[in-house]
Amino acid sequence: MITFFYDILFLKVGGVMSNSNFLWEIIIKKLKTEVDPEVFSTWIEPNFIDFVDMKKKIVTICSPNLLISEYLQNFFDIKIKEIIKSSTSVEFNLFYNYLEDDKTTIKESKKNHYKNTEDVILENFFSKDKPSGVQNIFSKQHFSDKSYTKPKDALNYNYDKSSLNKKFLFDNFVVGEGNVHAYNLAYSCTVAPGEHNPLFIYGGVGLGKTHLLHAIGNELVDNYPGYKVKCVTSEQFLNDYVNSIQIGNKNKNAAEEFRKKYREVDALLIDDIQFLSGKTGIQTAFFHTFNELYLNQKQIVLISDREPNDLDGLDDRLVSRFDSGVLADITPPDYETRVAIIKYKCKKNNISLDDSIISYISGNISGNIRQIEGILKEIKFKSTSVANITLSMVENIIKHRVKNIKKNITPEDIINVTSDFYKISVDDILSSKRNKEIVNARMIAIYLCRELTNLSLPAIGKLFNKDHSSIFYSNSKISSMILENTNNILNDIENIKEKLKKI
């Protein structure tokens, strides 16, 4: 049966399969249903299978460039292997090629694949005292003066690099599910400036938008010698514009100086663009600045707390231009990402905390990274006067900062209480046994982990040794049973919750 499948799927020639992109069509058809359309079209669709070697069990995937190749390896290597195995019943090793200057460079598939953020931080982030974990999903590019084109008729304006915060780098930006898309696009702006134009990043307070903005600027300055980067807030842009008007009577060149400052650049990075709302005069000045830079293919990056269509008081022509670019939202970090952030900042600031304390902080801070930083600063201050930081001390710190503190219920608590309630061992709940009673207890434990903790579906899957789809099914199944109160399940769940409250 398997041999017959191969004969149809591939045309064997000397042990090497031709017609290999029929297999690639199978792969992308599967991936297309599981990933964001923009991610699919940008990072997956442009690739193809170069060849398939049955004797050596190797599939070689070719990408248009190094950037896409690295992304595919780090985020989809395991998934692609799974799809190939399910289609051919054979485990293949993946090799990656990328096309560069009409030459193909063959690179062996990396062993470090995409994992949950905490695991990557623990395994890689602190290796050799330099961050090198998931936040570096692309290998650093090597740039030279040859790739830099000086702007035509550039004026000798002194661009102040001090406007960039040197602490905000891609290397120390912790990536999670809520910000990975924004991170990818931000980094790609430093590899191919002007390709994603404008890049419009939006999201709530304290989620890392400004960090990414300055990381782009720092990376551009480091990689392109002489590259002119202007990074300001919209308030600074407004102040410069007003000053150019106020001193215009004394200095006839004031308007020209303002124009030089913002239009003779290679990259313009603006933070808090939403503050231009309602200010007609400055919007006109920015409109013309934007147009000139855009037409000259200079990189523009804008940061906002809302997406373009939600910016009230902004000219339609500006909204239209913002909306025509690439949009990337940043959402609050999930539980695993918060744990990773806390561990990273503890390492950086020499703070020693037990895992139970880190878990408690992660469970009670919904996502504002600045709030996490404030709590850790207070913990560090207290650590100078006490021998050990205890959970009760941290609870006291947080209760003054957070209105609704959650009870620190762990997945282990849920599994143990569920085990005790149904008189089924923990080992059986975590096993792959399919007995009806065991399956029922397991699904309820999974459902409660999803409801009462901040764990993501993949993290719960790791805990129960199940894949993402199995966890999703269990959660959906119990939700349906609750609606119909099948087998009086609602009563069981409420009883388990009551027992958890007493822990």
Side-chain angles (χ1 to χ4, degrees):
M1 178 63 182
I2 293 175
T3 303
F4 177 72
F5 178 79
Y6 289 156
D7 289 339
I8 294 177
L9 184 57
F10 304 108
L11 303 177
K12 298 182 189 176
V13 180
V16 178
M17 295 182 182
S18 63
N19 197 26
S20 53
N21 281 297
F22 186 71
L23 177 60
W24 182 245
E25 289 298 323
I26 295 174
I27 293 169
I28 63 174
K29 183 178 180 181
K30 177 67 173 175
L31 291 177
K32 190 173 185 179
T33 64
E34 299 182 5
V35 302
D36 180 84
E38 189 169 351
V39 173
F40 178 83
S41 62
T42 303
W43 304 105
I44 298 174
E45 197 170 35
N47 305 283
F48 61 94
I49 290 180
D50 196 14
F51 65 89
V52 180
D53 191 325
M54 271 298 295
K55 288 184 178 180
K56 296 181 179 179
K57 300 296 187 292
I58 293 173
V59 171
T60 303
I61 299 176
C62 192
S63 303
N65 54 54
L66 174 62
L67 181 66
I68 294 178
S69 181
E70 291 284 82
Y71 182 93
L72 200 67
Q73 290 180 61
N74 284 278
F75 278 83
F76 290 97
D77 185 277
I78 294 176
K79 184 63 180 177
I80 292 173
K81 284 180 179 177
E82 290 174 352
I83 296 172
I84 293 175
K85 185 178 179 181
S86 67
S87 300
T88 67
S89 300
V90 177
E91 288 191 11
F92 284 89
N93 292 315
L94 298 186
F95 281 62
Y96 292 87
N97 296 356
Y98 64 91
L99 302 175
E100 186 171 294
D101 298 329
D102 297 325
K103 296 179 181 179
T104 301
T105 304
I106 300 179
K107 298 175 64 182
E108 184 176 352
S109 174
K110 293 184 177 181
K111 294 181 179 179
N112 292 330
H113 307 300
Y114 181 71
K115 305 176 181 179
N116 70 65
T117 308
E118 181 183 356
D119 286 347
V120 176
I121 292 294
L122 292 176
E123 294 171 14
N124 302 316
F125 197 79
F126 304 117
S127 63
K128 301 179 182 178
D129 298 322
K130 184 174 181 180
S132 59
V134 71
Q135 71 286 2
N136 285 325
I137 57 172
F138 308 123
S139 295
K140 287 300 179 80
Q141 312 288 311
H142 296 286
F143 298 89
S144 67
D145 288 333
K146 294 179 181 179
S147 60
Y148 169 71
T149 303
K150 189 174 183 180
K152 295 180 180 179
D153 302 323
L155 299 175
N156 294 321
Y157 179 80
N158 182 26
Y159 290 87
D160 185 8
K161 295 180 182 178
S162 65
S163 64
L164 291 169
N165 188 328
K166 291 298 181 182
K167 294 181 180 179
F168 290 156
L169 306 171
F170 286 110
D171 282 344
N172 56 25
F173 185 86
V174 180
V175 175
E177 289 183 13
N179 60 27
V180 63
H181 181 54
Y183 175 89
N184 292 348
L185 288 169
Y187 191 83
S188 69
C189 285
T190 69
V191 177
E195 184 173 331
H196 300 304
N197 222 10
L199 173 59
F200 192 100
I201 301 175
Y202 65 95
V205 175
L207 300 182
K209 302 186 302 296
T210 298
H211 187 139
L212 280 181
L213 187 75
H214 286 263
I216 292 170
N218 285 318
E219 193 79 7
L220 287 171
V221 169
D222 289 345
N223 290 334
Y224 294 98
Y227 207 74
K228 295 180 179 179
V229 176
K230 188 67 179 174
C231 181
V232 296
T233 64
S234 60
E235 182 181 12
Q236 288 173 283
F237 183 85
L238 172 62
N239 290 338
D240 286 343
Y241 175 69
V242 171
N243 288 337
S244 71
I245 295 175
Q246 290 177 341
I247 65 175
N249 294 329
K250 298 179 181 179
N251 181 3
K252 294 182 179 180
N253 295 322
E256 180 63 14
E257 287 297 320
F258 175 79
R259 194 191 72 82
K260 293 179 191 177
K261 190 173 185 177
Y262 286 99
R263 301 189 193 183
E264 301 290 346
V265 297
D266 298 298
L268 178 62
L269 318 177
I270 304 281
D271 203 355
D272 293 327
I273 197 69
Q274 72 271 10
F275 289 121
L276 294 185
S277 296
K279 303 175 178 68
T280 306
I282 188 64
Q283 287 184 36
T284 301
F286 184 75
F287 173 79
H288 293 300
T289 298
F290 180 100
N291 274 355
E292 184 162 335
L293 293 173
Y294 183 83
L295 291 173
N296 285 289
Q297 296 182 311
K298 305 304 179 183
Q299 182 63 60
I300 304 169
V301 182
L302 308 171
I303 301 295
S304 174
D305 62 353
R306 286 155 285 169
E307 59 182 306
N309 289 323
D310 290 337
L311 292 173
D312 297 329
L314 206 63
D315 286 350
D316 289 342
R317 58 183 181 174
L318 276 179
V319 173
S320 175
R321 279 159 177 75
F322 296 168
D323 208 29
S324 68
V326 181
L327 305 184
D329 67 324
I330 296 182
T331 58
D334 58 18
Y335 176 82
E336 292 85 354
T337 307
R338 295 199 296 272
V339 168
I341 290 170
I342 294 169
K343 289 187 175 182
Y344 166 66
K345 292 187 179 296
C346 284
K347 181 79 173 181
K348 181 180 177 182
N349 295 292
N350 197 27
I351 302 172
S352 179
L353 295 179
D354 292 338
D355 286 344
S356 60
I357 295 176
I358 292 174
S359 178
Y360 181 79
I361 297 172
S362 302
N364 284 283
I365 304 301
S366 60
N368 191 319
I369 298 171
R370 290 179 192 151
Q371 193 174 37
I372 291 175
E373 290 175 337
I375 290 169
L376 292 179
K377 285 178 182 178
E378 189 169 346
I379 289 173
K380 184 174 177 61
F381 175 77
K382 288 185 178 293
S383 68
T384 60
S385 58
V386 296
N388 295 305
I389 298 295
T390 64
L391 181 58
S392 61
M393 291 172 59
V394 174
E395 287 175 348
N396 190 53
I397 290 172
I398 291 180
K399 78 178 182 180
H400 294 296
R401 294 173 177 263
V402 182
K403 292 182 179 180
N404 299 314
I405 299 179
K406 302 174 184 176
K407 182 174 177 59
N408 188 33
I409 297 174
T410 68
E412 291 74 19
D413 292 334
I414 293 169
I415 294 170
N416 288 330
V417 171
T418 304
S419 167
D420 182 67
F421 183 82
Y422 286 109
K423 307 304 180 187
I424 294 173
S425 71
V426 170
D427 288 342
D428 281 344
I429 288 178
L430 298 178
S431 73
S432 57
K433 293 180 179 178
R434 303 300 301 168
N435 307 54
K436 184 178 179 180
E437 295 78 10
I438 295 174
V439 170
N440 183 66
R442 184 185 301 131
M443 289 197 301
I444 287 176
I446 289 171
Y447 172 83
L448 290 172
C449 282
R450 184 62 174 161
E451 181 184 0
L452 302 179
T453 75
N454 293 289
L455 291 178
S456 64
L457 292 180
I460 296 173
K462 184 178 180 181
L463 185 67
F464 285 85
N465 299 310
K466 305 292 180 184
D467 59 25
H468 177 278
S469 59
S470 296
I471 300 301
F472 181 81
Y473 170 80
S474 296
N475 190 63
S476 301
K477 178 69 174 178
I478 296 299
S479 296
S480 299
M481 292 174 69
I482 289 173
L483 288 175
E484 300 174 3
N485 200 17
T486 306
N487 298 329
N488 204 25
I489 192 172
L490 188 57
N491 187 55
D492 285 2
I493 289 176
E494 289 304 319
N495 282 331
I496 294 173
K497 286 183 179 179
E498 286 300 318
K499 290 180 180 294
L500 286 167
K501 291 178 181 178
K502 296 175 182 178
I503 294 178

